[in-house]
Amino acid sequence: RLAGTPPAGATYAGWLAAAPAEAAAATALHYPMGDLLKLSNGNVAGFVDCSASQAQAFSCSPSDRTNGKFLSVVFATGVTESGSSGAGLFTNVGSSRYLIGQLRGGASSCAAPNDADYFGRFDLAYAAVLAQWLNPGPTPTFSISKTGSGTVTSSPATSAYRPSSST
């Protein structure tokens, strides 16, 4: 939850709480080592399971939608660079883009542009814990009845939930 009001003009990223399709278009936005924004475009190549083999290394093996905890992504344009871990992976739904993953690592580089990168699946993180903060929950129902004359006020006046007025 936000601790304060976001700056004017802030844009929010939407997300998909479902696994993407294999071959879905994918775009990574990343800031390697704090550099300027980089953009990489490609496709989801499949689902994989990854495990740490050393402190700074990991390996991945093919899996399926049910058991694979990561997405394998191959970029057609752009690559990721060191320091890009945690980068958001987005896919298109109509004319909008939605978050589907976060960069764990991989072999994609200028020297190996066709190697895969691996992204944690946002749908799994959402189902496991993030939904408790990101799911808005059911919309409450309010009713107001009025008899006689008078004024109805609300506190706070800027409530996110506003009942429809009726007389």
Side-chain angles (χ1 to χ4, degrees):
R1 299 191 191 262
L2 296 174
T5 304
T11 301
Y12 301 93
W15 64 86
L16 288 181
E22 285 192 46
T27 299
L29 300 175
H30 51 106
Y31 297 87
M33 300 297 206
D35 197 4
L36 298 173
L37 174 66
K38 306 294 188 227
L39 178 77
S40 303
N41 292 300
N43 296 86
V44 173
F47 298 89
V48 296
D49 264 333
C50 300
S51 60
S53 57
Q54 297 175 13
Q56 295 294 319
F58 66 98
S59 60
C60 299
S61 57
S63 191
D64 57 28
R65 178 186 304 268
T66 303
N67 300 305
K69 302 211 176 11
F70 294 84
L71 301 171
S72 172
V73 176
V74 176
F75 295 113
T77 59
V79 296
T80 57
E81 302 170 54
S82 292
S84 294
S85 294
L89 182 69
F90 295 82
T91 193
N92 298 343
V93 176
S95 61
S96 298
R97 294 182 190 261
Y98 296 93
L99 183 73
I100 58 170
Q102 59 283 345
L103 182 62
R104 165 65 171 95
S108 172
S109 68
C110 292
N114 296 320
D115 284 356
D117 277 334
Y118 303 103
F119 291 79
R121 290 176 50 184
F122 181 81
D123 62 304
L124 298 179
Y126 182 87
V129 294
L130 296 178
Q132 67 183 323
W133 293 291
L134 299 178
N135 184 349
T139 302
T141 303
F142 296 95
S143 65
I144 297 175
S145 61
K146 179 179 170 186
T147 57
S149 62
T151 303
V152 176
T153 59
S154 165
S155 178
T158 59
S159 171
Y161 301 106
R162 292 191 175 91
S164 58
S165 62
S166 62
T167 56

PDB file of all heavy atoms in Angstrom, residues 27-47:
ATOM      1  N   THR A  27       7.862  -7.910 -23.252  1.00  0.00           N
ATOM      2  CA  THR A  27       8.750  -6.745 -23.247  1.00  0.00           C
ATOM      3  C   THR A  27       9.313  -6.566 -21.849  1.00  0.00           C
ATOM      4  O   THR A  27       8.564  -6.527 -20.879  1.00  0.00           O
ATOM      5  CB  THR A  27       7.977  -5.476 -23.657  1.00  0.00           C
ATOM      6  OG1 THR A  27       7.465  -5.644 -24.973  1.00  0.00           O
ATOM      7  CG2 THR A  27       8.868  -4.247 -23.613  1.00  0.00           C
ATOM      8  N   ALA A  28      10.631  -6.466 -21.756  1.00  0.00           N
ATOM      9  CA  ALA A  28      11.288  -6.216 -20.470  1.00  0.00           C
ATOM     10  C   ALA A  28      11.733  -4.762 -20.420  1.00  0.00           C
ATOM     11  O   ALA A  28      12.294  -4.239 -21.381  1.00  0.00           O
ATOM     12  CB  ALA A  28      12.488  -7.133 -20.285  1.00  0.00           C
ATOM     13  N   LEU A  29      11.465  -4.105 -19.297  1.00  0.00           N
ATOM     14  CA  LEU A  29      11.937  -2.748 -19.038  1.00  0.00           C
ATOM     15  C   LEU A  29      12.944  -2.842 -17.906  1.00  0.00           C
ATOM     16  O   LEU A  29      12.622  -3.350 -16.837  1.00  0.00           O
ATOM     17  CB  LEU A  29      10.772  -1.850 -18.612  1.00  0.00           C
ATOM     18  CG  LEU A  29       9.631  -1.700 -19.610  1.00  0.00           C
ATOM     19  CD1 LEU A  29       8.499  -0.887 -19.001  1.00  0.00           C
ATOM     20  CD2 LEU A  29      10.118  -1.054 -20.889  1.00  0.00           C
ATOM     21  N   HIS A  30      14.169  -2.387 -18.154  1.00  0.00           N
ATOM     22  CA  HIS A  30      15.206  -2.540 -17.135  1.00  0.00           C
ATOM     23  C   HIS A  30      16.189  -1.380 -17.138  1.00  0.00           C
ATOM     24  O   HIS A  30      16.333  -0.676 -18.123  1.00  0.00           O
ATOM     25  CB  HIS A  30      15.940  -3.877 -17.303  1.00  0.00           C
ATOM     26  CG  HIS A  30      16.437  -4.139 -18.687  1.00  0.00           C
ATOM     27  ND1 HIS A  30      17.763  -4.060 -19.027  1.00  0.00           N
ATOM     28  CD2 HIS A  30      15.780  -4.485 -19.819  1.00  0.00           C
ATOM     29  CE1 HIS A  30      17.906  -4.352 -20.312  1.00  0.00           C
ATOM     30  NE2 HIS A  30      16.720  -4.605 -20.814  1.00  0.00           N
ATOM     31  N   TYR A  31      16.821  -1.204 -15.984  1.00  0.00           N
ATOM     32  CA  TYR A  31      17.810  -0.151 -15.751  1.00  0.00           C
ATOM     33  C   TYR A  31      19.099  -0.814 -15.282  1.00  0.00           C
ATOM     34  O   TYR A  31      19.382  -0.837 -14.087  1.00  0.00           O
ATOM     35  CB  TYR A  31      17.313   0.817 -14.670  1.00  0.00           C
ATOM     36  CG  TYR A  31      16.066   1.568 -15.019  1.00  0.00           C
ATOM     37  CD1 TYR A  31      14.805   1.034 -14.756  1.00  0.00           C
ATOM     38  CD2 TYR A  31      16.139   2.828 -15.611  1.00  0.00           C
ATOM     39  CE1 TYR A  31      13.651   1.736 -15.068  1.00  0.00           C
ATOM     40  CE2 TYR A  31      14.997   3.536 -15.921  1.00  0.00           C
ATOM     41  CZ  TYR A  31      13.755   2.985 -15.650  1.00  0.00           C
ATOM     42  OH  TYR A  31      12.617   3.687 -15.953  1.00  0.00           O
ATOM     43  N   PRO A  32      19.897  -1.371 -16.207  1.00  0.00           N
ATOM     44  CA  PRO A  32      21.103  -2.077 -15.767  1.00  0.00           C
ATOM     45  C   PRO A  32      22.060  -1.160 -15.015  1.00  0.00           C
ATOM     46  O   PRO A  32      22.425  -0.105 -15.498  1.00  0.00           O
ATOM     47  CB  PRO A  32      21.716  -2.575 -17.072  1.00  0.00           C
ATOM     48  CG  PRO A  32      21.121  -1.732 -18.146  1.00  0.00           C
ATOM     49  CD  PRO A  32      19.778  -1.292 -17.652  1.00  0.00           C
ATOM     50  N   MET A  33      22.406  -1.604 -13.806  1.00  0.00           N
ATOM     51  CA  MET A  33      23.334  -0.851 -12.950  1.00  0.00           C
ATOM     52  C   MET A  33      22.925   0.618 -12.822  1.00  0.00           C
ATOM     53  O   MET A  33      23.775   1.501 -12.746  1.00  0.00           O
ATOM     54  CB  MET A  33      24.766  -0.944 -13.482  1.00  0.00           C
ATOM     55  CG  MET A  33      25.293  -2.348 -13.543  1.00  0.00           C
ATOM     56  SD  MET A  33      25.379  -3.030 -11.892  1.00  0.00           S
ATOM     57  CE  MET A  33      26.637  -4.220 -12.108  1.00  0.00           C
ATOM     58  N   GLY A  34      21.612   0.909 -12.847  1.00  0.00           N
ATOM     59  CA  GLY A  34      21.131   2.269 -12.696  1.00  0.00           C
ATOM     60  C   GLY A  34      21.250   3.118 -13.944  1.00  0.00           C
ATOM     61  O   GLY A  34      21.040   4.325 -13.903  1.00  0.00           O
ATOM     62  N   ASP A  35      21.587   2.506 -15.082  1.00  0.00           N
ATOM     63  CA  ASP A  35      21.727   3.230 -16.345  1.00  0.00           C
ATOM     64  C   ASP A  35      20.354   3.710 -16.824  1.00  0.00           C
ATOM     65  O   ASP A  35      19.328   3.464 -16.191  1.00  0.00           O
ATOM     66  CB  ASP A  35      22.361   2.295 -17.379  1.00  0.00           C
ATOM     67  CG  ASP A  35      22.924   3.034 -18.590  1.00  0.00           C
ATOM     68  OD1 ASP A  35      22.892   4.274 -18.613  1.00  0.00           O
ATOM     69  OD2 ASP A  35      23.401   2.361 -19.519  1.00  0.00           O
ATOM     70  N   LEU A  36      20.312   4.331 -17.971  1.00  0.00           N
ATOM     71  CA  LEU A  36      19.060   4.763 -18.578  1.00  0.00           C
ATOM     72  C   LEU A  36      18.180   3.556 -18.886  1.00  0.00           C
ATOM     73  O   LEU A  36      18.675   2.435 -19.051  1.00  0.00           O
ATOM     74  CB  LEU A  36      19.345   5.538 -19.860  1.00  0.00           C
ATOM     75  CG  LEU A  36      20.161   6.823 -19.693  1.00  0.00           C
ATOM     76  CD1 LEU A  36      20.514   7.408 -21.052  1.00  0.00           C
ATOM     77  CD2 LEU A  36      19.411   7.831 -18.852  1.00  0.00           C
ATOM     78  N   LEU A  37      16.886   3.780 -19.005  1.00  0.00           N
ATOM     79  CA  LEU A  37      15.922   2.729 -19.288  1.00  0.00           C
ATOM     80  C   LEU A  37      16.282   1.991 -20.574  1.00  0.00           C
ATOM     81  O   LEU A  37      16.565   2.599 -21.597  1.00  0.00           O
ATOM     82  CB  LEU A  37      14.520   3.320 -19.430  1.00  0.00           C
ATOM     83  CG  LEU A  37      13.421   2.354 -19.861  1.00  0.00           C
ATOM     84  CD1 LEU A  37      13.179   1.299 -18.794  1.00  0.00           C
ATOM     85  CD2 LEU A  37      12.140   3.113 -20.167  1.00  0.00           C
ATOM     86  N   LYS A  38      16.266   0.663 -20.497  1.00  0.00           N
ATOM     87  CA  LYS A  38      16.502  -0.202 -21.661  1.00  0.00           C
ATOM     88  C   LYS A  38      15.226  -0.993 -21.918  1.00  0.00           C
ATOM     89  O   LYS A  38      14.465  -1.312 -21.008  1.00  0.00           O
ATOM     90  CB  LYS A  38      17.654  -1.175 -21.413  1.00  0.00           C
ATOM     91  CG  LYS A  38      18.945  -0.524 -20.972  1.00  0.00           C
ATOM     92  CD  LYS A  38      19.543   0.353 -22.044  1.00  0.00           C
ATOM     93  CE  LYS A  38      20.924   0.798 -21.607  1.00  0.00           C
ATOM     94  NZ  LYS A  38      21.212   2.154 -21.755  1.00  0.00           N
ATOM     95  N   LEU A  39      15.004  -1.342 -23.185  1.00  0.00           N
ATOM     96  CA  LEU A  39      13.812  -2.060 -23.605  1.00  0.00           C
ATOM     97  C   LEU A  39      14.238  -3.275 -24.417  1.00  0.00           C
ATOM     98  O   LEU A  39      15.058  -3.152 -25.326  1.00  0.00           O
ATOM     99  CB  LEU A  39      12.963  -1.118 -24.473  1.00  0.00           C
ATOM    100  CG  LEU A  39      11.689  -1.644 -25.059  1.00  0.00           C
ATOM    101  CD1 LEU A  39      10.618  -1.677 -23.981  1.00  0.00           C
ATOM    102  CD2 LEU A  39      11.239  -0.746 -26.199  1.00  0.00           C
ATOM    103  N   SER A  40      13.703  -4.439 -24.075  1.00  0.00           N
ATOM    104  CA  SER A  40      13.994  -5.673 -24.806  1.00  0.00           C
ATOM    105  C   SER A  40      12.663  -6.309 -25.178  1.00  0.00           C
ATOM    106  O   SER A  40      11.767  -6.428 -24.343  1.00  0.00           O
ATOM    107  CB  SER A  40      14.801  -6.639 -23.937  1.00  0.00           C
ATOM    108  OG  SER A  40      15.992  -6.030 -23.494  1.00  0.00           O
ATOM    109  N   ASN A  41      12.516  -6.710 -26.445  1.00  0.00           N
ATOM    110  CA  ASN A  41      11.277  -7.312 -26.936  1.00  0.00           C
ATOM    111  C   ASN A  41      11.517  -8.728 -27.422  1.00  0.00           C
ATOM    112  O   ASN A  41      12.499  -8.989 -28.116  1.00  0.00           O
ATOM    113  CB  ASN A  41      10.705  -6.496 -28.103  1.00  0.00           C
ATOM    114  CG  ASN A  41      10.218  -5.143 -27.664  1.00  0.00           C
ATOM    115  OD1 ASN A  41       9.334  -5.048 -26.829  1.00  0.00           O
ATOM    116  ND2 ASN A  41      10.807  -4.100 -28.213  1.00  0.00           N
ATOM    117  N   GLY A  42      10.612  -9.637 -27.078  1.00  0.00           N
ATOM    118  CA  GLY A  42      10.732 -11.022 -27.522  1.00  0.00           C
ATOM    119  C   GLY A  42       9.455 -11.785 -27.241  1.00  0.00           C
ATOM    120  O   GLY A  42       8.361 -11.222 -27.301  1.00  0.00           O
ATOM    121  N   ASN A  43       9.629 -13.068 -26.875  1.00  0.00           N
ATOM    122  CA  ASN A  43       8.485 -13.939 -26.625  1.00  0.00           C
ATOM    123  C   ASN A  43       8.763 -14.890 -25.471  1.00  0.00           C
ATOM    124  O   ASN A  43       9.912 -15.244 -25.218  1.00  0.00           O
ATOM    125  CB  ASN A  43       8.168 -14.779 -27.867  1.00  0.00           C
ATOM    126  CG  ASN A  43       7.732 -13.928 -29.030  1.00  0.00           C
ATOM    127  OD1 ASN A  43       8.565 -13.437 -29.781  1.00  0.00           O
ATOM    128  ND2 ASN A  43       6.436 -13.719 -29.165  1.00  0.00           N
ATOM    129  N   VAL A  44       7.679 -15.307 -24.820  1.00  0.00           N
ATOM    130  CA  VAL A  44       7.787 -16.343 -23.802  1.00  0.00           C
ATOM    131  C   VAL A  44       8.094 -17.647 -24.541  1.00  0.00           C
ATOM    132  O   VAL A  44       7.320 -18.073 -25.395  1.00  0.00           O
ATOM    133  CB  VAL A  44       6.478 -16.473 -22.993  1.00  0.00           C
ATOM    134  CG1 VAL A  44       6.544 -17.657 -22.047  1.00  0.00           C
ATOM    135  CG2 VAL A  44       6.197 -15.181 -22.233  1.00  0.00           C
ATOM    136  N   ALA A  45       9.238 -18.257 -24.236  1.00  0.00           N
ATOM    137  CA  ALA A  45       9.649 -19.492 -24.912  1.00  0.00           C
ATOM    138  C   ALA A  45       9.102 -20.725 -24.210  1.00  0.00           C
ATOM    139  O   ALA A  45       8.996 -21.786 -24.814  1.00  0.00           O
ATOM    140  CB  ALA A  45      11.172 -19.563 -25.004  1.00  0.00           C
ATOM    141  N   GLY A  46       8.765 -20.606 -22.918  1.00  0.00           N
ATOM    142  CA  GLY A  46       8.236 -21.754 -22.192  1.00  0.00           C
ATOM    143  C   GLY A  46       8.319 -21.550 -20.695  1.00  0.00           C
ATOM    144  O   GLY A  46       8.694 -20.484 -20.203  1.00  0.00           O
ATOM    145  N   PHE A  47       7.971 -22.596 -19.971  1.00  0.00           N
ATOM    146  CA  PHE A  47       7.989 -22.607 -18.517  1.00  0.00           C
ATOM    147  C   PHE A  47       9.163 -23.462 -18.058  1.00  0.00           C
ATOM    148  O   PHE A  47       9.446 -24.496 -18.659  1.00  0.00           O
ATOM    149  CB  PHE A  47       6.674 -23.169 -17.965  1.00  0.00           C
ATOM    150  CG  PHE A  47       5.492 -22.331 -18.353  1.00  0.00           C
ATOM    151  CD1 PHE A  47       4.809 -22.563 -19.536  1.00  0.00           C
ATOM    152  CD2 PHE A  47       5.067 -21.289 -17.547  1.00  0.00           C
ATOM    153  CE1 PHE A  47       3.726 -21.784 -19.901  1.00  0.00           C
ATOM    154  CE2 PHE A  47       3.986 -20.504 -17.899  1.00  0.00           C
ATOM    155  CZ  PHE A  47       3.314 -20.753 -19.088  1.00  0.00           C
TER     156      PHE A  47
END
